[in-house]
Amino acid sequence: HAFYINIYGVLDNLTHLYICEKGVKDINNINIGLNKDKTKKHFSENINTALENKKDWLEYIKYFRNALAHRIAPYVPPYQINEEDKQKYDSLMKQYDSLMKQEHEILNKRNKIQNEKNSLYQAREDKKKFDKFTISINKIDNEIDELSTFCPYLTHSFNENNKYNIIYFQPQVLNDWESLICIIKVFMSELNIKINENNNIPLPFYYWCWKSRLRN
C-alpha cells in the first residue's frame, strides 16, 4: 500500500519540482500534475513524449493509487484453488461453516447457563462437544490448506475494470521501479541535473536475486 502511495507521490513531487525550478508563476498548486493541462503546457517536448510513451503505466498507477486512497485497498489473496478442486473446496467450506455455527451455539448456550445450579456439569458436557468441533474444524482447515496454493496476484476489485483485474505482484513492482526511474531521468535531463551512472557501485544482493528469478 505504501508503495503505490509513494510511487504516485514521487511523480507528483517531481512535477512540483519541475514547475518550481522553471520559475513558472501562472499556476497554483491545485493545477500542478502530470495529467493536468495547465501543467503539461509548460513541459518540454521530451517530457511530453516520455509521458505519452508511459501513458498506460501512468493510468494504471493512478487507478490503483486512487482506489487505495479513497475506496478499496490493493489486495493479495492468501491462496487460490485450482478449478479441478473447486467442488471439493466448496464441500469443505460448507462443512466448515456448519461446524462453526454449531460451535458458536455451544458458546452462547454456555454463557446463558452460567448462573444455573447445574452449570458446572453442563459446562463440562459443552466443553466435550466444543473440543470435538474444534478437532473437526482443524481437520477441515488442514484439508483446505492441502488444496490451496499461494498466488502472487494483486487486485483491488474483481469486477470494476477487466484491464487491471489481476496483476502479477512481484514482477509489476520491478516494472514500476523501472518506469519511475525512466521518467525521473527525463525530468533530470531537462533540468540539467547530472545523472550518476557509475556502474562500479555494487548493487544489493537482493537485486541480483530478483534479476535472476525474472531471467529464469
Side-chain angles (χ1 to χ4, degrees):
H1 297 172
F3 180 79
Y4 275 107
I5 289 293
N6 283 293
I7 286 286
Y8 191 89
V10 169
L11 294 169
D12 196 45
N13 289 340
L14 194 62
T15 310
H16 279 265
L17 173 65
Y18 181 86
I19 293 297
C20 179
E21 289 295 314
K22 289 296 184 180
V24 178
K25 303 295 183 182
D26 63 338
I27 186 173
N28 53 32
N29 285 342
I30 199 170
N31 290 315
I32 298 178
L34 286 182
N35 297 314
K36 296 187 177 180
D37 292 336
K38 291 185 178 181
T39 297
K40 291 170 71 174
K41 71 178 184 180
H42 295 289
F43 286 158
S44 67
E45 183 178 349
N46 286 340
I47 290 178
N48 281 321
T49 298
L51 296 179
E52 182 63 27
N53 291 337
K54 293 291 183 181
K55 182 178 179 181
D56 290 341
W57 179 77
L58 291 169
E59 177 187 307
Y60 137 78
I61 286 293
K62 181 180 179 181
Y63 184 72
F64 272 84
R65 179 268 172 191
N66 288 349
L68 168 60
H70 303 295
R71 304 181 298 110
I72 308 170
Y75 174 67
V76 178
Y79 61 85
Q80 67 178 2
I81 304 296
N82 295 327
E83 189 65 32
E84 58 268 24
D85 295 324
K86 185 178 182 301
Q87 186 173 354
K88 183 177 180 180
Y89 173 79
D90 290 341
S91 176
L92 288 171
M93 287 305 298
K94 287 181 180 179
Q95 296 177 49
Y96 182 89
D97 291 340
S98 176
L99 288 171
M100 288 296 294
K101 182 179 179 181
Q102 295 178 65
E103 188 179 64
H104 289 156
E105 289 176 353
I106 292 174
L107 289 175
N108 291 333
K109 182 180 178 182
R110 180 189 297 179
N111 293 333
K112 290 179 181 179
I113 66 171
Q114 280 182 345
N115 296 323
E116 295 181 6
K117 292 181 179 179
N118 64 340
S119 61
L120 181 59
Y121 170 78
Q122 189 65 48
R124 288 174 178 170
E125 291 300 308
D126 286 343
K127 186 178 184 306
K128 292 179 182 179
K129 294 180 182 179
F130 186 82
D131 291 342
K132 181 180 178 181
F133 283 124
T134 301
I135 293 173
S136 298
I137 290 172
N138 289 338
K139 182 180 178 181
I140 292 176
D141 275 335
N142 292 333
E143 291 187 59
I144 291 175
D145 286 341
E146 291 177 0
L147 294 178
S148 63
T149 56
F150 175 67
C151 46
Y153 305 143
L154 177 74
T155 187
H156 73 70
S157 172
F158 289 105
N159 53 21
E160 282 193 7
N161 190 329
N162 291 331
K163 186 176 180 180
Y164 304 119
N165 197 355
I166 293 178
I167 290 176
Y168 289 89
F169 176 67
Q170 294 164 335
Q172 186 61 49
V173 167
L174 297 180
N175 177 268
D176 292 344
W177 273 115
E178 183 180 3
S179 296
L180 179 63
I181 290 171
C182 177
I183 292 175
I184 288 175
K185 285 183 175 181
V186 173
F187 273 84
M188 291 174 70
S189 176
E190 291 299 308
L191 293 173
N192 295 318
I193 300 174
K194 185 178 180 181
I195 301 173
N196 183 4
E197 296 285 3
N198 186 0
N199 292 325
N200 293 324
I201 300 176
L203 291 169
F205 172 73
Y206 59 79
Y207 170 84
W208 298 112
C209 291
W210 281 117
K211 191 173 181 181
S212 175
R213 290 179 190 176
L214 289 179
R215 185 167 56 246
N216 293 336

